[in-house]
Amino acid sequence: MAAPFKDASKLDAGKNFIIPAPPTFSDPLEHRAFLKFRLAQAYRIFGKYGYDEGVAGHITVRDPIRPDCYWVNPWGIHFKLIQPEDLLLVDHGGKIQENESGPSRFLNRAAYMIHSAVHEARPDAICAAHSHTTYAKAFSALGIPLDPLTQDSCAFYEDHTLYSQFRGIVDDREEGLAIANALGSKKAVILQNHGILVATKSIESAVFFFISLERCCKVQMVVDQAAAARGLKPRLIDPVDAASTRESIGSEIGGWFNGIPEFQLLEHEEGKRFEYVPAP
C-alpha cells in the first residue's frame, strides 16, 4: 500500500499551503482490503459517537474490483463490533455475493433500497453514509435546508439539498430512487423527519462531512433558539464568502484530510492499523 501521506503535493484551491494526497494502489485486491478495513473503522467511529439506533443506519463503499457492487454492514450487529470480515458484498440488485461476504447474511432492506439507488445514480460516489442521529433527526423535522451560519456550515452551502417527503421505512425501489434523485450531484441530503445522508468520493470525507453536518444541525437549532429568545434574526454569512469558504473546507480533498484524524485516533485507541497480507 502507498503510505497515507506519501505524496504531499496537493494544493488547496490554489493557496500557498500543501496537504497530503490520499493513498493509491496498484493491486486491486490490496485496494479492496484497505477499503474494507476503512469501512469497518468508519462503523466503529460512528458507534463511538453514538450514531447507532438499534439496527438502523448504514455506510457503504463501492468495490474497486466490481464497481457494480458495494460493501455494507450485516443487519443486526452493533457498529462498534464491525470488522472487515463481517462486511457483505452486495450488487445493485440486492444479491449478497456468497464467496466474498461475511458469515452473517442478513441485509438491511432499507440500506439496499437507498444505497443501491445512490451508487447507481452517482458513479462518482465511492462512499455513502446514513444513520439516525439525534440532531439531524430533530433538524430534519423542520423541513428546511441548512443556513450558512458558521464557517463549518459553509462546507454545505449550495452543496446539500432537502428531500421533503416521509413515507415510512424505505422498503421499495421507488423511494430509494426518489432519495437519490433529491441528492442529485450534492454531497448531502436532509431527509425530512428522518435524518441525513452524505455521499462522497472517499470513506474519510464521508465520515467527516457526516459528523460535521450532524453538528451543524445542532448549531443551527441552538442559534435559532437563542435568536428567538432575544427577538433577533441570525446573521448569515454573505453568499460570496460562503461559496468561497465551501471551495476550501467543503472540497473533497478537504473532507478527506479533515476525516483522517478520526481514523488516526481510532487506530491509537485500538492499536490496530491496516496491514495487507496477500492470499497464498
Side-chain angles (χ1 to χ4, degrees):
M1 185 191 84
F5 300 149
K6 174 186 177 184
D7 218 350
S9 59
K10 290 282 185 180
L11 291 178
D12 190 341
K15 304 297 191 301
N16 60 353
F17 55 90
I18 296 174
I19 63 176
T24 56
F25 300 85
S26 58
D27 181 350
L29 289 175
E30 183 183 13
H31 191 189
R32 170 186 276 183
F34 177 75
L35 290 179
K36 290 178 66 179
F37 181 83
R38 267 292 198 246
L39 181 59
Q41 285 183 314
Y43 278 110
R44 299 199 299 275
I45 289 169
F46 270 32
K48 185 171 66 170
Y49 276 104
Y51 290 171
D52 56 295
E53 184 76 21
V55 297
H58 16 86
I59 315 171
T60 54
V61 64
R62 190 187 302 276
D63 184 62
I65 298 174
R66 298 182 57 188
D68 62 326
C69 296
Y70 55 86
W71 294 94
V72 66
N73 59 315
W75 201 25
I77 297 179
H78 197 283
F79 286 177
K80 287 185 178 181
L81 301 178
I82 298 293
Q83 298 296 327
E85 58 270 21
D86 297 317
L87 299 170
L88 303 179
L89 185 63
V90 181
D91 67 17
H92 289 168
K95 182 179 179 181
I96 296 172
Q97 307 304 293
E98 295 292 333
N99 293 334
E100 296 94 340
S101 297
S104 177
R105 302 297 172 86
F106 293 102
L107 175 63
N108 185 331
R109 182 174 174 82
Y112 156 60
M113 291 299 175
I114 295 172
H115 289 257
S116 61
V118 169
H119 283 294
E120 281 189 280
R122 289 280 301 277
D124 65 306
I126 301 302
C127 183
H130 164 66
S131 195
H132 298 175
T133 51
T134 301
Y135 296 104
K137 286 189 295 186
F139 183 74
S140 74
L142 301 176
I144 59 173
L146 198 68
D147 290 328
L149 286 171
T150 68
Q151 175 174 300
D152 298 311
S153 62
C154 286
F156 304 97
Y157 179 69
E158 295 185 335
D159 200 16
H160 77 290
T161 186
L162 172 70
Y163 179 56
S164 57
Q165 300 288 335
F166 180 79
R167 301 188 179 98
I169 296 172
V170 182
D171 62 358
D172 60 55
R173 181 165 174 78
E174 288 70 26
E175 186 70 359
L177 291 172
I179 290 172
N181 183 61
L183 173 66
S185 61
K186 310 294 188 184
K187 72 160 62 79
V189 57
I190 296 172
L191 308 173
Q192 185 173 296
N193 307 105
H194 191 168
I196 55 175
L197 182 143
V198 170
T200 66
K201 296 180 180 179
S202 74
I203 297 171
E204 295 87 353
S205 61
V207 166
F208 171 73
F209 285 129
F210 190 97
I211 293 171
S212 182
L213 185 52
E214 163 74 357
R215 289 171 172 167
C216 287
C217 288
K218 178 181 181 179
V219 168
Q220 174 140 358
M221 289 188 293
V222 170
V223 170
D224 286 346
Q225 184 179 32
R230 291 165 174 77
L232 302 173
K233 290 186 177 181
R235 298 187 64 177
L236 304 185
I237 295 173
D238 178 82
V240 173
D241 293 330
S244 174
T245 304
R246 181 199 64 228
E247 292 303 307
S248 178
I249 65 171
S251 66
E252 176 62 33
I253 191 67
W256 173 82
F257 191 47
N258 272 296
I260 287 294
E262 292 290 346
F263 294 87
Q264 291 174 335
L265 178 58
L266 185 72
E267 290 174 355
H268 173 75
E269 292 171 341
E270 296 182 341
K272 183 190 301 183
R273 303 186 67 178
F274 176 69
E275 293 182 9
Y276 179 61
V277 179

